[in-house]
Amino acid sequence: SAGVGDRTLLLLHGGPGGNSEDLSPFLELADHGFRVVRYDQLGSWRSDKPDDFTLWQVPRFVDEVEHVRKALDLGQMHLLGQSWGAFLAIEYALHHAEHLRSLTLASGAASTRECVAGMNAWRRELPPETQAIMARHETAQGYQHPDYLAALEVLYRRNFCRVWPYPEPLARALEHMAAPDYNTMWGPNEFTCTGNLLDWDRTDRLGEITVPTLITVGEFDEVHPSCARSLQAGIPGSELEIFPGCGHAVHLEVFDDYHDVLLSFLNRVDDAQAVRKASSL
């Protein structure tokens, strides 16, 4: 963590089975009056790694977020979730809204199947022969075949992160992916979902989220911008920011731009809350 005070921001990393390394640049918000906290979720890099695969379920991760909030005395907090972290942040908001000042959903979706449909749309932009290679190896579950990995790399460079080489925090995070969590909940790679998250869908409950919400996405994000538009349509009063030319790692591809948008949003939320408090005195 970094910073002190009662303006708290908790960061939820992607994956599942990722880690908080690629969110570490957000610790810089400590310079703007925030106490910023990142942590690796259970099973991920610096956390315990139990071998009980039944633990890799959404409700357990929601309980973990609330445990972290209480243990660190974060009070009413701002919450930012990126990728799977945005799925988790939505779920947390539906169970613990009273503990939220705001919600930032970075490259997320309200439904895994909508997310997969968007990924398939990106896949259809590949040359037909590349699509055929991927389909053939997926049918045979040949996820490590060199031809399959080469096709996948094209998608990663186009839709996962469009900066090459990958920014250092992302490269570090990818070196320490936790395969058991990732494979159990998501699947063998970003563009193939076979895990227990496949049926997760909160589209019909987005209207219950009433805290100020910022939705961000890259123009070429693997979690398709259509998913972000669905979030905006469902969450009352939410704001949507689409970052031109970016993939899924928006916050690292154009960190300065992302930082400015996020800081502006958080300041507006806190200023509005201060005004409401003053007027109620």
Side-chain angles (χ1 to χ4, degrees), residues 14-249:
N19 53 71
S20 62
E21 282 307 298
D22 66 312
L23 300 180
S24 58
F26 287 124
L27 296 176
E28 187 269 344
L29 287 165
D31 295 340
H32 298 272
F34 288 89
R35 180 186 176 196
V36 187
V37 174
R38 65 173 177 130
Y39 73 98
D40 291 352
Q41 297 155 21
L42 186 71
S44 291
W45 184 12
R46 293 185 182 87
S47 287
D48 291 342
K49 299 174 182 62
D51 56 9
D52 179 0
F53 283 28
T54 64
L55 292 170
W56 314 137
Q57 303 284 341
V58 172
R60 201 216 63 78
F61 283 101
V62 173
D63 291 345
E64 180 180 271
V65 176
E66 178 58 6
H67 179 77
V68 169
R69 187 195 68 83
K70 285 181 178 175
L72 298 180
D73 193 23
L74 299 180
Q76 195 180 47
M77 63 183 179
H78 299 285
L79 185 64
L80 182 152
Q82 196 268 338
S83 194
W84 141 252
F87 292 34
L88 179 55
I90 290 168
E91 198 74 21
Y92 182 86
L94 292 173
H95 287 85
H96 299 286
E98 69 276 13
H99 300 314
L100 290 180
R101 286 196 193 188
S102 77
L103 193 59
T104 298
L105 304 175
S107 301
S111 153
T112 305
R113 290 192 184 275
E114 183 186 15
C115 178
V116 169
M119 289 176 166
N120 287 338
W122 290 127
R123 286 170 62 133
R124 286 193 295 273
E125 294 188 6
L126 294 172
E129 59 273 20
T130 307
Q131 294 183 52
I133 288 169
M134 293 192 73
R136 186 166 69 249
H137 290 296
E138 284 169 353
T139 300
Q141 296 191 350
Y143 299 117
Q144 298 305 313
H145 192 284
D147 292 347
Y148 182 75
L149 293 175
L152 198 61
E153 183 68 15
V154 175
L155 284 169
Y156 275 46
R157 297 279 190 98
R158 284 178 50 186
N159 304 113
F160 177 65
C161 181
R162 293 168 68 88
V163 172
W164 185 260
Y166 286 162
E168 197 272 333
L170 180 60
R172 194 164 65 244
L174 290 173
E175 286 177 10
H176 298 278
M177 283 292 293
D181 317 29
Y182 185 77
N183 296 340
T184 301
M185 295 185 73
W186 186 259
N189 61 65
E190 291 292 271
F191 288 85
T192 310
C193 183
T194 54
N196 65 31
L197 260 186
L198 187 56
D199 293 323
W200 182 82
D201 189 340
R202 294 294 177 262
T203 309
D204 61 352
R205 295 191 60 190
L206 293 178
E208 299 173 36
I209 297 175
T210 57
V211 298
T213 302
L214 171 66
I215 300 155
T216 65
V217 69
E219 178 186 3
F220 299 103
D221 204 310
E222 67 181 27
V223 181
H224 201 282
S226 58
C227 297
R229 293 189 182 96
S230 294
L231 288 172
Q232 185 190 28
I235 300 175
S238 57
E239 304 175 24
L240 171 60
E241 188 81 26
I242 299 175
F243 288 82
C246 290
H248 190 57

